[in-house]
Amino acid sequence: MSSPFERHFFVCTNNRPPMAKPSCGQKNATNLYMKMMEEVEKRNLFGKVQVTPSGCIGPCFDGPAIVVYPEGTWYANVTEEDIAEIAENHMQNGQVVDRLVYKWPEA
Amino acid sequence: MSSPFERHFFVCTNNRPPMAKPSCGQKNATNLYMKMMEEVEKRNLFGKVQVTPSGCIGPCFDGPAIVVYPEGTWYANVTEEDIAEIAENHMQNGQVVDRLVYKWPEA
């Protein structure tokens, strides 16, 4: 493990045009990213937690989506109101917010 | 672990304008991303490995940078010539390519 971070959040902010399939960027994801960065600042977690906007990470019809590593936890349908809970539980205390976890279809 | 993927590669493709600090997007990162996707296709790893372009992940002066989870391996100064080795060793066989690993400064 060469990472100095406890945890890394990737917020999909991918944008697709109208008439394409849904994209997280069209569903408020940039504001989710900004709110997560505010939480990092407020909680003084800079250097412990990284939050990075990303391209498409998969569950496009259930976005906005966020993936958290090293756990590999996927959140879906995240709203601005959910960010404080994700920050308090997962970002600060390492506890997954079960009610927001995305269930991948079985292969 | 709710992720169905063995491994997730994030390729920083962040772009900054001239006169700003260096950015991976200005150093060929989009081509690195394309080459990694070609490797996923060639090796038939779709569904096992994800490759996602991302915003800034940190070591801007040593880009292009790639981070791989769940291990938390950071690669830096990656060139197109390095991608086949990363694909063969890490993407396909889970073996980190030590010579490309980024060493974070001690906190």
Side-chain angles (χ1 to χ4, degrees), chain A residues 11-57:
Chain A
V11 183
C12 176
T13 56
N14 192 43
N15 275 300
R16 293 195 181 93
M19 296 179 290
K21 69 176 174 176
S23 58
C24 299
Q26 301 294 331
K27 295 197 277 187
N28 204 35
T30 299
N31 284 331
L32 300 184
Y33 167 66
M34 294 299 282
K35 281 206 165 288
M36 293 195 79
M37 290 300 287
E38 288 169 11
E39 294 283 352
V40 170
E41 182 180 35
K42 192 167 73 178
R43 294 165 189 275
N44 200 24
L45 292 172
F46 187 80
K48 284 194 179 176
V49 167
Q50 264 209 34
V51 181
T52 304
S54 83
C56 180
I57 53 175

Side-chain angles (χ1 to χ4, degrees), chain B residues 14-103:
Chain B
N14 192 43
N15 275 300
R16 294 195 180 93
M19 297 179 289
K21 69 176 174 175
S23 58
C24 299
Q26 301 294 331
K27 295 197 279 188
N28 204 36
T30 299
N31 284 330
L32 301 184
Y33 166 67
M34 294 299 283
K35 281 204 166 289
M36 294 194 79
M37 290 300 288
E38 288 169 11
E39 295 284 352
V40 171
E41 182 181 33
K42 192 167 72 179
R43 295 165 189 276
N44 200 25
L45 292 171
F46 187 80
K48 283 194 179 176
V49 167
Q50 264 209 35
V51 181
T52 304
S54 83
C56 181
I57 54 174
C60 307
F61 288 87
D62 299 288
I66 294 171
V67 62
V68 191
Y69 286 105
E71 303 88 310
T73 300
W74 298 72
Y75 292 124
N77 295 300
V78 180
T79 68
E80 286 186 48
E81 291 67 35
D82 297 326
I83 297 298
E85 185 177 353
I86 291 172
E88 175 71 19
N89 292 14
H90 202 163
M91 188 181 277
Q92 181 117 39
N93 296 316
Q95 299 296 319
V96 172
V97 180
D98 290 331
R99 70 177 184 84
L100 296 172
V101 170
Y102 178 70
K103 310 289 193 295

Side-chain angles (χ1 to χ4, degrees), chain A residues 82-103:
Chain A
D82 296 326
I83 297 298
E85 185 177 354
I86 291 173
E88 175 71 19
N89 291 15
H90 202 163
M91 188 182 275
Q92 181 117 40
N93 296 317
Q95 300 295 319
V96 172
V97 180
D98 290 330
R99 71 177 184 85
L100 296 172
V101 170
Y102 178 69
K103 310 288 191 294

